[in-house]
Amino acid sequence: MPSMVVPEVTLNSCDGITMPVIGMGTSSYPRADPETAKAAILEAIKTGYRHFDTAFIYGSEHDLGEGIAEALRLGFINSRSELFITTKLWASFAERDLVVPAIKASLRNLQVEYVDMYIIHWPFKLVKEVKSTPVEKEIVQPLDLKSVWEGMEECKRLGLARAIGVSNFTCNMLQDLLSIAKIPPALNQVEMNPAWQLKNMREFCKAKGIHVTAFSPLGASGTKWGDDRVLGSAILQDIAKAKGKTTAQISLRWVYEQGVSMVTKSYNKDRMKHNLDIFGWSLTEEELDKLTHLPQRKGVNFASLLGPHDIVLEIDAQL
């Protein structure tokens, strides 16, 4: 039996599909070795995680698949249907005819017949495989949103994905997508934490029935793109001390109280447990007000990764 039960959110336009509000992230830099990753997946399932977030580009799909297969063999779970698995369409495959082959490749890696959520990973396409960054301007191209989304819808119709969504989409891009989609996106996965609160995005998505999932809810501390602006915040630390909680728990609880789900990654056994222990208590109005006034700065800028190209700068300015 899992030691903790995570609440679930019902996704719109998905036939009543529910998703655990905390997902275990599997992106690590540098990449974890397969045995370490597999052991972490097993530990996460034992701890109570039922939502796992991966992506083709993370290189972790195969490790996650191995971990799930082992969990089934060991009886940690009785069937694959007990898990909610998210993976993502990489930007090099963001073309109509490549979407279905891409999800099938991910399914082979994961050793499953379907994913619960398939997401367009980046809000533009890369016209060739990228070996290093930054890249030349012509490699980054706008998405042909209509045709790529038709490919995503086909994944759902074929039963390869139970739900489909997007990541790093601006409000304008979401509006464009809603105007052409036969199946609207179930969610938008974006960077969000107390130091990057995205209030306008959250309000827009709520009005349109699009769920928001936060990545980097702890500021991606310890990664090459993140920093300690969340975990090192004196305001968060003071609230944590007063409540007898960790700084990470305060940040995750704040995200949850905004009606947002989250993907958080730790391969540390104790932190895995702490990151789930954010229910059964709440932040006071005074504490929430303090967090509202934190300095705002996001961690992920596409321009710093790919180069200051017009399409990238435009998206960075709106996210």
Side-chain angles (χ1 to χ4, degrees):
M1 289 288 291
S3 56
M4 299 187 192
V5 177
V6 177
E8 301 198 342
V9 60
T10 301
L11 300 171
N12 285 341
S13 65
C14 292
D15 309 317
I17 291 172
T18 60
M19 179 179 76
V21 297
I22 300 182
M24 166 83 167
T26 62
S27 169
S28 58
Y29 183 86
R31 260 188 73 188
D33 68 86
E35 283 307 309
T36 300
K38 183 174 155 184
I41 300 303
L42 288 169
E43 188 61 43
I45 290 173
K46 279 201 292 183
T47 303
Y49 288 87
R50 291 295 179 266
H51 176 186
F52 290 88
D53 181 278
T54 184
F56 178 84
I57 198 63
Y58 298 165
S60 61
E61 289 176 332
H62 185 267
D63 298 338
L64 177 55
E66 287 290 314
I68 292 168
E70 183 73 0
L72 284 163
R73 281 194 294 272
L74 294 171
F76 292 176
I77 50 174
N78 295 316
S79 77
R80 178 263 177 267
S81 64
E82 293 178 33
L83 302 179
F84 190 101
I85 303 172
T86 296
T87 194
K88 308 179 189 79
L89 175 76
W90 180 234
S92 300
F93 308 133
E95 292 184 28
R96 174 68 180 88
D97 296 338
L98 298 180
V99 178
V100 170
I103 194 174
K104 286 181 174 177
S106 288
L107 294 174
R108 285 192 297 274
N109 287 338
L110 288 161
Q111 304 176 46
V112 296
E113 294 180 355
Y114 67 92
V115 290
D116 299 276
M117 178 66 66
Y118 197 46
I119 290 175
I120 297 177
H121 200 158
W122 278 5
F124 41 78
K125 74 174 180 179
L126 301 174
V127 297
K128 67 180 186 182
E129 190 179 348
V130 173
K131 300 286 190 186
S132 63
T133 57
V135 300
E136 296 159 354
K137 182 179 179 180
E138 54 272 16
I139 288 175
V140 186
Q141 297 290 331
L143 282 178
D144 182 342
L145 200 51
K146 187 172 188 298
S147 68
V148 173
W149 194 250
E150 283 172 359
M152 298 292 286
E153 290 173 330
E154 187 179 355
C155 292
K156 188 172 188 305
R157 279 195 300 273
L158 291 171
L160 304 175
R162 294 175 72 215
I164 49 178
V166 295
S167 180
N168 302 296
F169 268 41
T170 66
C171 293
N172 287 342
M173 291 186 74
L174 290 170
Q175 189 66 60
D176 291 344
L177 178 53
L178 288 168
S179 71
I180 55 101
K182 293 187 179 72
I183 303 170
L187 61 76
N188 187 21
Q189 189 178 117
V190 289
E191 178 185 359
M192 187 187 139
N193 52 58
W196 190 246
Q197 298 187 6
L198 285 186
K199 190 166 185 283
N200 291 340
M201 169 70 74
R202 285 188 277 124
E203 289 175 351
F204 177 87
C205 287
K206 187 175 182 180
K208 301 296 183 183
I210 300 170
H211 181 69
V212 175
T213 296
F215 69 77
S216 299
L218 302 176
S221 179
T223 68
K224 64 175 180 175
W225 62 88
D227 57 31
D228 70 346
R229 70 195 184 286
V230 175
L231 296 183
S233 161
I235 291 173
L236 277 152
Q237 289 171 348
D238 288 347
I239 294 171
K241 191 174 180 182
K243 296 184 96 67
K245 304 293 181 184
T246 68
T247 311
Q249 285 172 325
I250 300 301
S251 182
L252 298 178
R253 179 69 200 187
W254 179 86
V255 171
Y256 177 64
E257 290 193 16
Q258 311 314 306
V260 172
S261 61
M262 66 207 83
V263 173
T264 179
K265 184 219 153 254
S266 178
Y267 284 178
N268 175 285
K269 190 174 176 178
D270 290 334
R271 284 198 294 269
M272 273 188 209
K273 288 179 181 171
H274 289 152
N275 289 348
L276 286 191
D277 190 15
I278 63 165
F279 309 107
W281 57 276
S282 58
L283 297 166
T284 66
E285 287 297 323
E286 184 184 359
E287 289 162 347
L288 288 167
D289 186 60
K290 285 179 181 175
L291 294 175
T292 298
H293 294 98
L294 281 178
Q296 296 295 291
R297 179 167 58 83
K298 69 174 170 177
V300 176
N301 279 288
F302 286 116
S304 63
L305 178 65
L306 298 173
H309 312 311
D310 290 348
I311 179 175
V312 171
L313 290 168
E314 185 180 343
I315 287 167
D316 279 340
Q318 294 180 49
L319 260 184

